[in-house]
Each structure stands twice: as C-alpha cells, then as structure tokens.
Amino acid sequence: MQTELSKRLGVEHAVFGFTPFPAVAAAISRAGGLGVLGAVRYTAPDDLERDLDWLDAHTGGRPYGLDVVMPAKKVEGVSEADVEVMIPEEHRQFVRETLARYGVPELAEGEASGWRITGWMEQVARTQLDVAFDHPIRLLANALGSPPADVVARAHGQGVLVAALAGSARHARKHREAGIDIVVAQGYEAGGHTGEIATMVLTPEVVEAVDPLPVLAAGGIGSGQQVAAALTLGAQGVWLGSIWLTTTEADLHSAALTRKLLAAQSGDTVRSRALTGKPARQLRTEWTDAWDDPAGPGTLPMPLQGLLVAEAVSRIQKYEVEPLLGTPVGQIVGRMSSERSVQAVVDDLTRGFERAVDRINRIAGRSGQS
C-alpha cells in the first residue's frame, strides 16, 4: 500500500493513524504506517516531552507525527476564567440534575476534572510545538483548520510536512492557499468533529480542488477494501482514528467503555454538540440524548459547552456510569467487534487491500498482474 506520499515520508503503508495513546502511535509506525500522536490532552509541556521521548525510544527509528489543535487566527486577552463566567446557570443546573438522575458520584475533593479548554488554546499548542520540534517528527497535523502562517513556516524550516483536516472542498482550497502540504478529507462518517459530506463524495472533490497536493481520505475507513477504494478515488493514503480505540495497545482506562465499543453497531453513533458545542460524532448514549432533547436547554457554542461538561464527563468516565458513558468514534465502530493488536489491524488492512486489487484486476481482465 505504497504511494508517492508514503514513499516521501519513508513509510511502508499509506496508513496514517491518529491516536491519543503513545503506545498505539508507536505500534502503528512499527507496523509500517505513520503513527500520529494527538497532543490536545497535554496541557503540561513536561508530559508531552516524556511521551515524545518514549516514542523516540519505541518506534524503532521509524517516522511518526503530532496532531495539535490551534486556530489560524489568534484571540487576544481571553482566559479560561473569562469564558467560564459566560455559562448560564440554567445549563449548570441541567448538568447537575442529569448527573443526579443517574446517581453519578462527585469527584474527590481537590481532584482535577480532566479535559479543559486549555488544551484548545493557542498558547498551549505553541508550547507543545516548542517541545515537538526538538524531536524527529515528520508530520504536523492540525485538526482546527490551517495553523498560523508562522507555524507552517517553522515546520517547513525543519523539514516537517504540515497537514490539515477539511470537511469540504472550500475548506481544502483554503488549506492549499495557506501553504499546507497535505489535506485530510474527513467525511461525515468519521469520529469527532465532522462536516456534512460523506467520504465517498468528499474525497474526489478535495482531490480535484487541491491538485497536485496529496490528499488523505478519512471517515468510515477500517478495511483494506476501503483503503483501496480511497486510493481509487485519488487519495494518496488514509487517515484512521477510531479503529485503534479497541486495540490491545490502547489505554481507555475503562473496561465498560471498551465493552460498549465492541458491542456497538454502525448505527449506534450520533453527531451531537453535547461534548464540545460543535457537531462531533460519538457513541449515542443517554447523555447525548439528554442534550439533544428539545425539552432541554440545548447545547452552548464552543468552547462554553466543553467547559460546562468537563467535570461531568470526568465523573461519568471515572465511575463508569454505563448509560451515560461514551466517546468520540466513527461509524466504523460496527467493524470493531474484537480486541486486536495494532499489528493485527494493519495486517488485516494489507490483506484486504490485496484482495480488493486482485478483484479489480480480474474485472479489468488483468488477472495475475499487480
């Protein structure tokens, strides 16, 4: 599964694997893909430094990348406290009542609530980059549009390719104009923040819009046959995220959540604003249903919603309150029916890819050719 882009980056397979877990990222790279570590949860530079040191020691010299979240435009003088006071009391009361209805215990006194807005603030992302550029990363990806121009220039100055996610051809063209090297066409089926266009439609539109820039297809991809389809549509690789959540190297810290993922079907996800305030595909739960219910107060815009629910989500996860327990995940969750190693997932992708290519060759009357 090699393409011009995978050869350029020195990887055996054109499989780019996004994950928040260093062990998964390292295993993807060792298996011949390119592991991309998500940095949004690292609010302390020392923690990211520790895990990048670990990656350097466990990738066997193979390339890896980093995914950050930073806006193209800087907002000056806005702190977390400034945003916090904008949350209406009605919404805080709704959270309290929902948690009480399901008997969710409080966190211990003084215990931190987990994810906060800080991981999405530009100054935090810049400290992450200060750490990352001291390591041999080969790819810098941004999940929130094109990164600032000076960041793109800094990456290029160090020989690092820059990728950005796009949910439409219009967004993709803006990335090209910003000097981005790789566009990730993320379809409606993907986990996390997504647009309205399905991968099968979006991929060729983006390929045409940014030609000759390489495009990665993302969303609903979890088999070798789907990889072959993506390359047939003009992509130079695939960007996979959800499929790694149930690998043996993943560290979800929740047996209950793993069980829910393994049992879920493709129709058991929903695009909801419940987590961040922007539409994000995730497991459908009684928590997402509560926020999507017209009788409720409705969600707040980003970043207010994320601040509002941060402690609640931490409590739900810590105490594994199954009716409310969920995670961002794509529609490919229907294929995630067993726990497998990262290597086993990659082996399945390559075998499926070979079968798909053989099938097309037979249809085209080229049996025996590759």
Side-chain angles (χ1 to χ4, degrees):
M1 295 194 298
Q2 278 205 333
T3 64
E4 182 181 339
L5 178 61
S6 66
K7 292 175 183 176
R8 183 179 178 185
L9 285 164
V11 297
E12 183 180 356
H13 306 303
V15 173
F16 296 71
F18 166 79
T19 175
F21 307 117
V24 175
I28 293 168
S29 290
R30 291 197 306 270
L34 188 114
V36 182
L37 180 66
V40 71
R41 68 190 180 94
Y42 293 97
T43 55
D46 289 347
D47 292 340
L48 180 60
E49 181 77 59
R50 177 201 64 219
D51 282 356
L52 290 181
D53 284 342
W54 188 92
L55 271 171
D56 293 341
H58 291 83
T59 51
R62 306 236 177 152
Y64 68 90
L66 189 75
D67 180 277
V68 297
V69 177
M70 61 189 312
K73 296 180 180 179
K74 187 172 183 177
V75 179
E76 300 281 2
V78 178
S79 68
E80 183 174 336
D82 294 331
V83 177
E84 187 88 43
V85 298
M86 298 169 64
I87 298 173
E89 177 58 30
E90 174 191 16
H91 286 75
R92 296 186 187 279
Q93 182 62 27
F94 181 77
V95 170
R96 289 192 290 266
E97 291 173 354
T98 304
L99 295 178
R101 189 181 316 129
Y102 290 90
V104 182
E106 298 276 355
L107 294 176
E109 186 175 351
E111 184 174 355
S113 64
W115 179 82
R116 302 291 285 176
I117 187 179
T118 48
W120 292 72
M121 298 180 77
E122 182 184 347
Q123 59 266 37
V124 174
R126 286 186 177 275
T127 63
Q128 293 168 349
L129 294 178
D130 289 339
V131 171
F133 284 134
D134 286 335
H135 292 263
I137 64 170
R138 294 295 308 280
L139 177 73
L140 174 66
N142 189 35
L144 202 63
S146 304
D150 68 293
V151 171
V152 176
R154 183 180 180 188
H156 288 167
Q158 298 198 203
V160 176
L161 296 182
V162 181
L165 277 65
S168 70
R170 178 173 60 86
H171 292 153
R173 281 189 286 268
K174 289 184 177 180
H175 294 334
R176 181 188 60 191
E177 293 164 3
I180 300 303
D181 303 294
I182 303 165
V183 176
V184 181
Q186 180 169 276
Y188 172 86
E189 304 96 324
H193 295 125
T194 67
E196 302 280 353
I197 306 172
T199 305
M200 192 77 174
V201 175
L202 179 65
T203 301
E205 287 186 354
V206 171
V207 168
E208 182 177 345
V210 302
D211 183 62
L213 287 186
V215 172
L216 302 177
I221 300 173
S223 73
Q225 291 87 340
Q226 290 167 317
V227 175
L231 300 190
T232 302
L233 293 172
Q236 287 202 31
V238 292
W239 178 273
L240 310 181
S242 297
I243 197 72
W244 315 111
L245 289 173
T246 52
T247 57
T248 52
E249 292 89 347
D251 190 11
L252 288 176
H253 298 294
S254 173
L257 181 55
T258 298
R259 287 196 303 272
K260 291 188 76 169
L261 288 169
L262 295 174
Q265 300 300 306
S266 299
D268 292 333
T269 69
V270 63
R271 284 173 78 246
S272 171
R273 298 176 185 269
L275 189 60
T276 68
K278 289 184 67 176
R281 186 170 298 284
Q282 55 203 282
L283 277 181
R284 182 177 180 178
T285 66
E286 293 183 32
W287 177 255
T288 61
D289 285 349
W291 282 105
D292 295 338
D293 188 341
T299 56
L300 297 169
M302 180 185 275
L304 300 181
Q305 183 71 15
L307 271 176
L308 170 66
V309 304
E311 180 180 324
V313 170
S314 294
R315 289 164 60 185
I316 291 166
Q317 292 174 344
K318 176 178 180 177
Y319 299 110
E320 296 190 315
V321 184
E322 291 204 34
L324 305 180
L325 187 63
T327 186
V329 69
Q331 291 181 332
I332 199 62
V333 70
R335 290 186 62 90
M336 296 156 51
S337 56
S338 63
E339 290 188 77
R340 300 178 291 166
S341 69
V342 166
Q343 183 67 62
V345 171
V346 174
D347 288 344
D348 183 61
L349 292 172
T350 56
R351 285 192 296 265
F353 178 81
E354 290 170 356
R355 289 194 297 270
V357 171
D358 287 344
R359 184 181 304 117
I360 292 300
N361 281 334
R362 288 195 302 271
I363 292 170
R366 299 176 183 146
S367 181
Q369 299 182 27
S370 59

